[in-house]
Amino acid sequence: MWLGPYPTVLITNPEHVKEIFTKNYLYQKQTHPNPFAKLLAQGLVLVEEDKWAKHRKIINPAFHVEKLKHMLPAFYTSCSEMISKWEDIVSKETSYELDVWPHLQIMTSEVISRTAFGSSYEEGRIVFELQQEQAEHIMDISRSIYIPGSRFLPTKRNKRMLEIEKQVQTTIRHIIDKRLRAMEGGETSKDDLLGILLESNMKEIEQHGSKDFGLTTTEVIEECKLFYFAGQETTSVLLVWTMILLCLHPEWQVRAREEVLQVFGNEKPDLEGLSRLKIVTMILYEALRLFPPLPVFSRMNKEEVKLGEMHLPSGVILIIPAIFIHYDKEIWGEDAKEFKPERFSEGVSKATKGRVSFIPFGWGPRICIGQNFAMMEAKMAITMILQKFSFELSPSYTHAPFAVVTIHPQYGPYPIVLITDPEHVKEIFTKNYGYQKQAHPNPFAKLLAIGIALLEEDKWAKHRKIINPAFHVEKLKHMLPAFYQSCSEMISKWEDIVPKETSYELDVWPDLQLMTGEVISRTAFGSSYEEGRIVFELQKEQAEYVIDITRSVYIPGTRFLPTKRNKRMLEIEKQVQTTIRRIIDKRSRAMEAGEPSKNDLLGILLESNMKEIEQHGSKDFGMTTIELIEECKLFYFAGQEATSVLLIWTLILLSLHPEWQVRAREEVLQVFENEKPNLEGLSRLKIMTMILHETLRLFPPVPTYRRRNKHEVRLGELSLPAGVLLFIPTVLIHYDKEIWGEDVKEFKPERFSEGVSKATQGRVSFIPFGWGPRICIGQNFAMLEAKMAIAMILQKFSFELSPSYTHAPVAIITTQPQYGAPLLMRKL
């Protein structure tokens, strides 16, 4: 798939995750595209290579367990203050509803203020409050598109953000300067994070005799800012999800409390005792597994690499979804979604079977430097809470985890939910009025087509009703000659190129794209084919512009700039509109004069539209000429794309599995011999149908569907507020071992031997064309065309993969072979 201009790969294989996290010099972090983000912190987490190694070496001593034990008093004081507040609020002998989330956020921030700056705690507190305000501004800004240069505008917010940054820098610099003067005067360094950091930095400079080996004051300031943001976020979310899970599973709350009271009674927790809390540790690990602080890690490979079987050019975004890996049933078992701390009873290594599949703090050289700090603080807090309180969920609690930076228990403005449960998929696709498609945020995309695929509700229903007749099987049989003619032209071309009695390397991908384009031109416009061909050429050029543009961030207003590309795109749109309008007007006049409509898509569409208007006595019930033009444009784009990718992956798979190529050819020759394929014969090609279905499973044309719920809904056990973005990843559903079996990644057409329903066990888990009322209207068209093309190719050629073929599926709009498909073709 693509994120803006970058190809993106989802990484869930633990071996690949291990390699990426281990080779941190090769797979590097990405900087945030919005420069405002730098105001929050630019410390260790964002530097790379030698600079990262230098920072890590200097900061490491601050997080050694030996140093952390000196910070326990700060943990204890901050937790005590929060618990005292709760004791004042909660009356004896009765329960009291309390939203603990803001309290935990304040408590963890107090910990950071005390541990980072010790005796300078009050100044540290001011820094934290300023950083908290800065974070709110940045979160808000980073959710919208950044317009280059807008940070220099003298807006109220921009001025406030720069003011905060200046104040934070000044305050921390003042603390640092004071500490440095004291250290130079012979005072011992403090046991707070800043003191340890400054001491380590000074030692590094003295050891090498050069300031180049140490951190500058500005870099120390950035590390202090990072302590605040990362330290407070991670621990507060770990604590809140742990408390929620202990509410949902009171038996574990009881077990944890018994352990705490056995170790400490009601006394103050100490380091030795905290390290003996086995049950509490298991609970914290399981909370981190179910609610990892960072739901996703992203990296970008610096140079071209081979990762497992994948060849990746430089600059690929690698998404490592911790949440997927933590819920993987292969690793964690069938109970992966359940809260079962006992899975960690023998430690992390045993629970993960030695695989890199538990990554709440990352892994490898760049594993979060503060993980011991976070775990110790969390143990202290949970221990002290369990000593004083029991707790359960209030009826007013709504479960809605949301990823801001970490996963918070709150609704956010742009929540996203990944849908893989077939029952949920079925409900979303069935209730198309409640779960609607999203318009592309970039207005340039509308130039390609805004037909039925993008309409909603009554307008969608009207268009669907009028277009439906054009795709009935009865009408499609009249289009077989167009399929045959276009395929014949392509095959004749191949016969001229490929010599007899020897194989010849041919990249078939461009030819298949051209052939499917010819099919659309003929079936859409019939006798007006030549004009239709012009439209196709123009739409193809337009698609290239639109795809290129939609990979980058759209800056509002740029479509009105008189650039060369903008002018060309508007020129194409005008030419396409004029050409199609001319064909429509000519047809409409002929039909009004009594001529029968043509059996091409446009003819059937115009006839259906006219009937609808006449039946209701009003043009409101039909489509306007502009709407008809948009539907014609959509025929071109969707019709050509879906079939060309189905054909190319089928040929590649039949090259990889010659035994299925042989079986398919035998079936074709048995039904047609070397004669022209017909509708009745094509419908009898059982093996061919199985092969096409299996190809669509392994390489679905649309890798992901997106919907947004219009109103607040309940989807299974999920309560969703209005406006949640629902991702239905076809690829993940088609590769689900629970549905398809252990051989899910293998090409096995026999799984469809008894049809789709039997293969999916009646579940909505085969969705190459979508499902429900909005299932792709052209699926019968695509399947019939594909059967015709594959049958005719098998009649004339055998083929295998060329050694120059590189397997690199890439999702542009559909899933395409990035480097083409060179096959070794041999005449039969």
Side-chain angles (χ1 to χ4, degrees), residues 603-805:
I604 302 164
L605 182 59
L606 289 173
E607 182 184 31
S608 177
N609 194 46
M610 193 176 278
K611 278 182 183 172
E612 201 64 23
I613 292 168
E614 287 171 357
Q615 188 182 329
H616 294 92
S618 168
K619 284 191 174 182
D620 292 343
F621 288 87
M623 287 193 244
T624 64
T625 302
I626 289 171
E627 288 172 334
L628 289 167
I629 290 168
E630 289 302 324
E631 295 302 344
C632 289
K633 284 163 66 180
L634 188 61
F635 287 162
Y636 270 100
F637 185 68
Q640 188 268 340
E641 277 276 313
T643 316
S644 61
V645 295
L646 170 55
L647 287 171
I648 195 62
W649 293 120
T650 303
L651 290 179
I652 288 168
L653 287 166
L654 290 180
S655 297
L656 289 165
H657 302 275
E659 71 283 7
W660 280 99
Q661 187 182 148
V662 168
R663 288 182 65 181
R665 184 176 293 105
E666 284 172 354
E667 181 183 58
V668 165
L669 295 176
Q670 187 184 335
V671 173
F672 301 117
E673 293 179 345
N674 277 307
E675 298 302 310
K676 180 178 174 179
N678 55 45
L679 183 64
E680 186 272 333
L682 290 172
S683 65
R684 281 165 47 210
L685 296 178
K686 184 182 175 183
I687 289 170
M688 173 88 73
T689 304
M690 285 155 53
I691 289 167
L692 290 172
H693 279 153
E694 181 69 341
T695 303
L696 286 166
R697 184 184 72 81
L698 292 169
F699 297 99
V702 180
T704 304
Y705 297 94
R706 298 180 184 199
R707 296 291 187 269
R708 198 182 279 265
N709 55 310
K710 193 178 175 188
H711 307 290
E712 187 175 339
V713 292
R714 189 162 178 80
L715 181 64
E717 294 176 4
L718 300 171
S719 295
L720 303 176
V724 174
L725 184 57
L726 304 163
F727 274 42
I728 302 171
T730 320
V731 170
L732 292 181
I733 294 166
H734 283 194
Y735 281 72
D736 188 334
K737 287 186 180 178
E738 273 191 67
I739 297 160
W740 302 98
E742 289 300 313
D743 58 1
V744 68
K745 292 181 180 176
E746 295 173 36
F747 177 69
K748 289 201 168 179
E750 63 265 34
R751 67 178 94 239
F752 289 100
S753 60
E754 296 179 66
V756 171
S757 184
K758 190 83 172 175
T760 59
Q761 301 158 41
R763 289 179 283 188
V764 181
S765 51
F766 180 65
I767 50 174
F769 296 107
W771 200 83
R774 292 201 73 140
I775 194 166
C776 172
I777 201 167
Q779 66 169 328
N780 290 332
F781 181 103
M783 287 296 284
L784 200 55
E785 181 187 348
K787 284 183 186 179
M788 173 72 84
I790 297 292
M792 291 177 70
I793 292 167
L794 289 169
Q795 283 175 326
K796 299 290 184 179
F797 296 94
S798 67
F799 44 90
E800 60 185 287
L801 282 184
S802 164
S804 65
Y805 172 76

Side-chain angles (χ1 to χ4, degrees), residues 216-493:
T216 64
T217 302
T218 302
E219 286 172 333
V220 172
I221 290 169
E222 289 302 324
E223 295 301 345
C224 290
K225 286 163 66 180
L226 186 61
F227 287 162
Y228 270 99
F229 186 68
Q232 188 269 339
E233 276 277 313
T234 307
T235 317
S236 60
V237 294
L238 169 55
L239 287 171
V240 78
W241 290 121
T242 301
M243 290 191 74
I244 289 169
L245 287 165
L246 290 179
C247 289
L248 290 165
H249 302 275
E251 71 282 7
W252 280 98
Q253 187 181 148
V254 169
R255 288 184 66 181
R257 184 176 292 105
E258 285 172 354
E259 181 182 58
V260 164
L261 295 176
Q262 187 184 336
V263 174
F264 300 114
N266 280 306
E267 298 303 310
K268 180 178 175 180
D270 56 39
L271 183 64
E272 188 271 333
L274 290 173
S275 65
R276 281 164 47 210
L277 295 177
K278 184 181 175 182
I279 288 169
V280 170
T281 303
M282 284 155 53
I283 288 166
L284 290 171
Y285 281 154
E286 184 69 341
L288 286 165
R289 185 184 72 81
L290 292 169
F291 297 98
L294 285 176
V296 173
F297 296 91
S298 69
R299 296 289 187 269
M300 186 178 280
N301 54 311
K302 191 181 171 188
E303 54 196 59
E304 190 175 336
V305 292
K306 185 169 168 59
L307 181 64
E309 293 176 5
M310 293 183 285
H311 289 274
L312 303 175
S314 64
V316 173
I317 295 175
L318 303 163
I319 302 286
I320 301 170
I323 207 103
F324 281 6
I325 296 165
H326 285 191
Y327 282 71
D328 188 335
K329 289 185 180 178
E330 269 191 71
I331 297 160
W332 302 99
E334 289 302 311
D335 57 3
K337 291 181 181 177
E338 295 173 36
F339 176 71
K340 289 200 169 180
E342 63 265 35
R343 67 178 93 242
F344 289 101
S345 61
E346 296 180 65
V348 172
S349 184
K350 190 83 171 175
T352 58
K353 301 165 187 169
R355 289 178 284 186
V356 180
S357 50
F358 180 65
I359 50 173
F361 297 105
W363 200 82
R366 291 201 73 140
I367 193 166
C368 173
I369 200 167
Q371 64 169 327
N372 290 331
F373 181 103
M375 287 296 287
M376 198 182 290
E377 181 187 349
K379 283 184 188 179
M380 174 72 83
I382 291 295
T383 294
M384 292 178 70
I385 292 167
L386 288 168
Q387 284 176 323
K388 299 289 185 179
F389 297 93
S390 67
F391 41 93
E392 60 186 282
L393 282 183
S394 164
S396 66
Y397 172 76
T398 301
H399 190 61
F402 173 65
V404 183
V405 172
T406 51
I407 298 180
H408 289 192
Q410 59 186 23
Y411 290 117
Y414 302 107
I416 297 172
V417 178
L418 199 75
I419 304 293
T420 57
D421 185 320
E423 283 305 307
H424 296 169
V425 173
K426 182 179 180 180
E427 186 167 343
I428 290 165
F429 278 145
T430 305
K431 296 179 178 175
N432 59 302
Y433 274 68
Y435 300 96
Q436 302 190 343
K437 289 195 174 188
Q438 277 188 284
H440 198 286
N442 193 319
F444 278 113
K446 290 180 182 177
L447 292 179
L448 209 48
I450 47 177
I452 190 171
L454 297 178
L455 302 176
E456 292 295 344
E457 300 182 5
D458 294 344
K459 199 164 187 182
W460 168 80
K462 178 176 80 172
H463 280 235
R464 183 88 183 198
K465 186 181 178 186
I466 292 168
I467 296 166
N468 256 336
F471 291 95
H472 284 168
V473 174
E474 188 56 37
K475 296 289 187 182
L476 289 179
K477 73 179 181 185
H478 298 297
M479 298 176 195
L480 279 184
F483 294 170
Y484 181 79
Q485 189 177 345
S486 302
C487 291
S488 291
E489 288 172 3
M490 177 182 74
I491 285 168
S492 294
K493 182 180 167 186

Side-chain angles (χ1 to χ4, degrees), residues 157-173:
R157 180 160 63 186
N158 285 5
K159 285 194 280 187
R160 178 57 187 152
M161 287 175 76
L162 291 172
E163 192 180 293
I164 291 170
E165 171 65 0
K166 188 178 176 183
Q167 209 172 333
V168 166
Q169 289 267 353
T170 304
T171 307
I172 300 176
R173 189 178 290 272

Side-chain angles (χ1 to χ4, degrees), residues 443-445 447-448 541-547 549 563-575:
F444 278 113
L447 292 179
L448 209 48
E541 186 187 346
Q542 192 78 295
E544 286 168 10
Y545 290 132
V546 170
I547 289 164
I549 284 172
T563 64
K564 188 178 177 183
R565 181 165 64 183
N566 285 3
K567 285 194 281 187
R568 177 57 187 153
M569 287 175 78
L570 292 173
E571 193 180 291
I572 290 170
E573 172 66 0
K574 188 178 176 183
Q575 210 173 332

